[in-house]
Amino acid sequence: MAEKYGFRKAITALIDKDTEQIITGAEKGLSENGLFTIDASTSKGVISGAITGLAPTQTKVYGSDAVVDIIAQGTGAVSLTLAANDIPMQILGKLSGMDYDATTGAYKLGKDSKPPFSVVDLVSTDGDKHPIHFALYKGKFGPEEVSLNTNQDQVNRATDSVTFSAVNRNSDGFVYAMYVEDETHKEEDILKDIFKGYAAVPAAPASN
């Protein structure tokens, strides 16, 4: 795997569970073109993104008093832990399936709450300063856990951390992919492969 320097941004979108196309429009999706970029301009920047569970369980096969084979296929339980400084509440609410109450302005979680399927792309940089994309094609974000602590000599600041549980995409069976931008593979082409139905139009903030 290529060297990785820093963490530029994360891009996410809601998708239809059956067609796996991104959901566009600020009312039902995360923006007019469906994509929301978590970066310094929208969320005071990303902090970390850890993808785990890519390696499948390996089972040794024994014969003649020795290991003769190793059975391994697919992936393990793939998940992402994503941390950012200040993801907008309406985005977190939509990603985790919370219900918005327009009367009180509250985002509520209850027995009938169901997170929608979504897709997420983490963007770093390689040693040649080419952007690297780490994509999880389909999964669900869980609600953010809340942990608050008192201010002491310094202000105690709590940031956002959410977990994404990935599943295989129905259309091709893939769950994860890595892309490197270069002269041949442009960002727009990569985004179109990650976010099915993506079209480059100006994004507007999501409505509640």
Side-chain angles (χ1 to χ4, degrees):
M1 184 179 291
E3 292 179 299
K4 299 171 288 297
Y5 293 89
F7 185 13
R8 286 189 177 186
K9 59 186 176 181
I11 308 170
T12 189
L14 305 181
I15 61 172
D16 183 274
K17 67 176 182 177
D18 298 317
T19 67
E20 297 173 339
Q21 299 280 309
I22 62 172
I23 298 173
T24 59
E27 182 176 351
K28 293 185 177 181
L30 301 183
S31 70
E32 285 302 322
N33 71 358
L35 275 58
F36 182 79
T37 300
I38 303 170
D39 61 10
S41 66
T42 67
S43 310
K44 297 183 181 178
V46 286
I47 300 171
S48 63
I51 298 174
T52 59
L54 293 175
T57 299
Q58 297 187 353
T59 304
K60 295 180 180 179
V61 177
Y62 292 85
S64 299
D65 298 330
V67 177
V68 296
D69 197 3
I70 296 177
I71 299 173
Q73 182 176 335
T75 67
V78 181
S79 67
L80 161 70
T81 300
L82 175 65
N85 280 308
D86 190 15
I87 302 172
M89 187 180 296
Q90 66 267 33
I91 297 298
L92 289 175
K94 283 191 173 185
L95 288 172
S96 60
M98 299 181 77
D99 296 308
Y100 178 69
D101 185 337
T103 301
T104 63
Y107 290 86
K108 299 181 178 182
L109 194 64
K111 63 182 180 65
D112 296 323
S113 302
K114 293 182 179 179
F117 280 104
S118 52
V119 53
V120 62
D121 174 29
L122 311 183
V123 185
S124 182
T125 307
D126 70 9
D128 294 322
K129 299 183 179 179
H130 294 142
I132 312 176
H133 297 250
F134 301 90
L136 294 175
Y137 287 137
K138 187 177 183 179
K140 292 185 176 184
F141 280 99
E144 181 181 28
E145 302 293 341
V146 178
S147 178
L148 305 176
N149 294 287
T150 183
N151 292 329
Q152 298 182 28
D153 292 336
Q154 296 182 346
V155 174
N156 197 304
R157 182 170 165 272
T159 56
D160 294 319
S161 180
V162 290
T163 300
F164 179 89
S165 298
V167 297
N168 298 88
R169 194 161 58 179
N170 294 336
S171 57
D172 53 21
F174 291 115
V175 62
Y176 164 83
M178 183 178 72
Y179 306 77
V180 179
E181 289 184 36
D182 55 27
E183 293 74 14
T184 303
H185 306 95
K186 304 297 185 182
E187 180 184 34
E188 287 300 304
D189 296 325
I190 291 171
L191 293 181
K192 287 177 182 178
D193 193 59
I194 297 172
F195 300 93
K196 297 298 184 183
Y198 165 74
V201 297
S207 60
N208 293 321

